[in-house]
Amino acid sequence: MVMASILSRIVSIDLLPILLFFNIFVDGTKPYYHQKYFSKEKLTHLHFYFHDSMSPTNFTVVQVAAAPRRNGSTAMVNSITEFGSVMISDDPLTETPDPSSKVVGRAQGLSSSVSQSDTTILMAFNLVFTTGKFNGSTISILGRNSIYASKVREMPVVGGSGVFRFARGYVLMKTYALDVKNLRATVEYDVYVWHY
Ligand SMILES: *[C@@H]1O[C@H](CO)[C@@H](O)[C@H](O)[C@H]1NC(C)=O
Ligand SMILES: *[C@@H]1O[C@H](CO)[C@@H](O)[C@H](O)[C@H]1NC(C)=O
Ligand SMILES: *[C@@H]1O[C@H](CO)[C@@H](O)[C@H](O)[C@H]1NC(C)=O
């Protein structure tokens, strides 16, 4: 992933002028692979709902690490607000807020509590789509999520694969429902992504 994105950057920066030169001056009338590849960047808006559950009987999130604490507690319940904890998620993404609506993909990633003063997490997530023309393609997100401080949190899209090669953009996340008792959350995602 890292190698691929480094490689794609080198290729796009170093070879783009050469490819353009070839297209314009040598082979301008005959479209070929590179020209097609670089010439049709488009903006796609994706909208879906993310379901997170820390319920002990039906969870999509697990805590994998916690900072040592004086009282030694590692209760899952508190971990998301606690500085130094690390969680791994595999959350379903659905078409509507209803968890039983059509699943369009999954959000798989790592979140870590990175603030000593509020509920702020670092999110490093891959969204993988499992239906339609995006099936098998992924979007990678890396950002800061201050869960309760703002109604809408914005996170950068740092890359993608498949349909979303060369992706860049942002995600707007809005908490749609929070069920504290059952440790479940539904978050509305709006993804705006440029890709070819
Ligand atoms: C677990 O949660 C998923 C959605 O998050 C739901 O579809 C499923 O029915 C739940 N299973 C049980 C046993 O509650
Ligand atoms: C354990 O420590 C946490 C964080 O300081 C605190 O919120 C919690 O109430 C403590 N639990 C007990 C049982 O003392
Ligand atoms: C998505 O792709 C996988 C792997 O190619 C395939 O098995 C699956 O049937 C596809 N799903 C849909 C809904 O097209």
Side-chain angles (χ1 to χ4, degrees), residues 148-180:
Y148 302 114
S150 19
K151 202 167 168 213
V152 181
R153 286 88 63 185
E154 179 176 336
M155 247 147 286
V157 166
V158 296
S161 72
V163 171
F164 298 113
R165 282 176 181 175
F166 293 118
R168 60 202 163 85
Y170 62 96
V171 183
L172 300 179
M173 298 177 186
K174 249 182 286 177
T175 304
Y176 179 86
L178 195 60
D179 177 351
V180 178

Side-chain angles (χ1 to χ4, degrees):
M1 188 69 212
V2 174
M3 277 306 291
S5 86
I6 291 168
L7 199 63
S8 65
R9 242 165 250 173
I10 292 168
V11 168
S12 62
I13 292 165
D14 293 351
L15 297 187
L16 191 56
I18 298 165
L19 297 173
L20 289 177
F21 178 87
F22 267 77
N23 281 336
I24 294 163
F25 298 108
V26 178
D27 203 11
T29 56
K30 198 172 154 206
Y32 68 105
Y33 178 72
H34 290 109
Q35 184 176 35
K36 208 170 88 199
Y37 205 75
F38 284 112
S39 65
K40 282 192 265 171
E41 195 174 21
K42 51 187 168 290
L43 180 65
T44 296
H45 173 206
L46 302 163
H47 178 251
F48 47 81
Y49 293 83
F50 162 107
H51 302 274
D52 209 29
S53 169
M54 290 201 278
S55 150
T57 55
N58 191 9
F59 57 86
T60 63
V61 187
V62 287
Q63 182 182 344
V64 295
R69 273 177 276 144
R70 238 175 296 181
N71 64 16
S73 158
T74 53
M76 240 181 170
V77 156
N78 294 323
S79 60
I80 200 127
T81 62
E82 285 173 12
F83 183 57
S85 66
V86 178
M87 319 288 286
I88 300 291
S89 310
D90 183 4
D91 295 315
L93 305 173
T94 62
E95 226 166 47
T96 78
D98 180 354
S100 60
S101 65
K102 187 181 173 192
V103 173
V104 296
R106 305 196 70 83
Q108 298 171 328
L110 178 156
S111 36
S112 189
S113 177
V114 290
S115 167
Q116 299 200 61
S117 56
D118 63 14
T119 312
T120 296
I121 57 172
L122 159 75
M123 286 182 76
F125 265 69
N126 291 315
L127 307 176
V128 56
F129 299 97
T130 51
T131 54
K133 62 179 173 178
F134 303 131
N135 188 11
S137 295
T138 67
I139 289 177
S140 299
I141 296 170
L142 181 67
R144 175 179 190 269
N145 187 350
S146 193
I147 297 171
Y148 302 114
S150 19
K151 202 167 168 213
V152 181
R153 286 88 63 185
E154 179 176 336
M155 247 147 286
V157 166
V158 296
S161 72
V163 171
F164 298 113
R165 282 176 181 175
F166 293 118
R168 60 202 163 85
Y170 62 96
V171 183
L172 300 179
M173 298 177 186
K174 249 182 286 177
T175 304
Y176 179 86
L178 195 60
D179 177 351
V180 178
K181 189 164 157 268
N182 296 307
L183 304 172
R184 289 172 187 277
T186 302
V187 183
E188 185 176 1
Y189 272 51
D190 278 290
V191 183
Y192 296 87
V193 62
W194 282 105
H195 61 101
Y196 290 90

